């Protein structure tokens, strides 16, 4: 995954859910306490801004409104 991110070179990374955010950022992440907060992911010499947000599918449907608000806010930055 890290190699793919490096090759794609995205401007921003949105991580959906606690588990994916924690794995990618290599630290415990709880979306409810860090919504819209920017984290940095370093791959080789590149730095990528990462934003944990709610997973809006399945059981996460209860948080879909929050996920939409967060994604819209992140895209405006």
């Amino acid at each position: 995954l890290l190699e793919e991110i490096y090759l794609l070179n995205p401007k921003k990374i949105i991580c959906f859910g606690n588990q994916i955010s924690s794995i990618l950022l290599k630290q415990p992440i709880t979306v409810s306490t860090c919504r819209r907060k920017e984290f940095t992911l370093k791959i080789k010499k590149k730095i990528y801004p990462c934003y944990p947000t709610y997973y809006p599918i399945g059981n996460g449907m209860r948080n879909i409104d929050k996920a939409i608000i967060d994604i819209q806010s992140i895209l405006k930055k």
Side-chain angles (χ1 to χ4, degrees):
L1 176 61
L2 297 178
E3 185 65 24
E4 290 176 1
I5 291 170
Y6 183 79
L7 292 171
L8 290 171
N9 196 30
K11 293 179 182 177
K12 299 175 186 175
I13 299 171
I14 297 175
C15 305
F16 290 103
N18 297 331
Q19 185 176 19
I20 297 302
S21 300
S22 297
I23 291 168
L24 187 62
L25 297 169
K26 297 180 181 160
Q27 62 181 296
I29 300 290
T30 305
V31 172
S32 62
T33 60
C34 62
R35 291 176 62 198
R36 295 181 237 151
K37 180 180 176 187
E38 182 178 307
F39 291 82
T40 56
L41 174 65
K42 184 176 181 183
I43 304 172
K44 299 180 185 181
K45 293 182 180 180
K46 294 182 181 178
I47 303 286
Y48 303 96
C50 294
Y51 301 90
T53 190
Y54 286 105
Y55 184 71
I57 307 297
N59 288 335
M61 288 295 289
R62 67 181 177 274
N63 292 317
I64 195 164
D65 293 338
K66 294 175 186 174
I68 291 169
I69 291 167
D70 290 354
I71 293 166
Q72 289 172 337
S73 173
I74 292 163
L75 294 176
K76 289 179 184 177
K77 291 183 180 184

